[in-house]
Amino acid sequence: MIFVTLPVAFGRMPYGQVFGTALFLTLVVCRDHGDDRDSRNGVSVLQDYTRLPRRLLAYLIAALIWLTGILTVLSFNRWSTVYPLRFIGIASSKTPFELLDYLTSNIMMPAGGLLVALIAGWALSQETTRKELGLGNGLAFNLWRGLVRYVVPLAIVVIFLSVR
């Protein structure tokens, strides 16, 4: 939405180019700081599992991020008529960017939310949960635990199935 709707909105307002440029430069700075942290975590995890040199893993992750970025950029021009999964019903008319957007929004985010709810509700001990939330043994803790264990996972599954 940021890259589709906001440029139109900024294009219609006075000094929109100035405000739009400022917003997108701010996003670039925020993205660079976040990517740096995220790629360090990825490098550390991969280094633990593969025993490959840190520098090589950093270059591989950077190349993967760059290729994903190029893939999405090309989806708006040269590859705007490329549909890599045209033989699969739900993805038959999706460009590479639309596939990544669909995967992220409709599969990975609900799956991540479901995993967080399951871990918080079932894997964490009651003592750890009470300590982290600052709740005692009262009604608030029991209500929270019941919601996170039963209602939240069920709601996420219902939403997940209704989006498909």
Side-chain angles (χ1 to χ4, degrees):
M1 191 162 158
I2 287 175
F3 300 108
V4 175
T5 307
L6 285 180
V8 173
F10 284 128
R12 293 183 179 168
M13 65 185 272
Y15 304 105
Q17 290 180 335
V18 173
F19 290 114
T21 302
L23 172 74
F24 288 114
L25 285 175
T26 304
L27 288 175
V28 167
V29 170
C30 292
R31 178 197 52 87
D32 284 345
H33 290 291
D35 284 351
D36 181 48
R37 184 191 68 243
D38 293 343
S39 61
R40 283 186 198 169
N41 292 339
V43 168
S44 294
V45 169
L46 286 176
Q47 193 174 21
D48 290 343
Y49 284 107
T50 64
R51 304 290 183 205
L52 292 173
R54 188 170 187 81
R55 181 176 289 220
L56 173 65
L57 291 171
Y59 283 127
L60 289 173
I61 288 175
L64 181 64
I65 292 169
W66 186 83
L67 287 171
T68 305
I70 289 297
L71 178 76
T72 59
V73 168
L74 289 175
S75 293
F76 289 101
N77 49 47
R78 295 189 186 250
W79 289 357
S80 62
T81 58
V82 172
Y83 307 108
L85 297 179
R86 71 180 56 193
F87 55 89
I88 297 177
I90 199 165
S92 63
S93 63
K94 295 189 185 314
T95 65
F97 173 79
E98 292 168 336
L99 285 172
L100 285 173
D101 179 51
Y102 180 83
L103 176 70
T104 302
S105 301
N106 297 323
I107 296 173
M108 293 172 70
M109 288 180 72
L114 181 61
L115 286 174
V116 167
L118 292 174
I119 290 170
W122 295 95
L124 290 179
S125 68
Q126 288 187 22
E127 180 64 31
T128 301
T129 305
R130 274 193 209 97
K131 182 179 172 186
E132 291 298 321
L133 294 176
L135 298 174
N137 290 331
L139 177 65
F141 175 75
N142 291 329
L143 179 63
W144 179 89
R145 191 162 173 91
L147 286 172
V148 170
R149 279 185 156 196
Y150 303 106
V151 177
V152 171
L154 180 64
I156 291 173
V157 168
V158 167
I159 291 169
F160 179 74
L161 293 176
S162 69
V163 171
R164 300 183 146 252

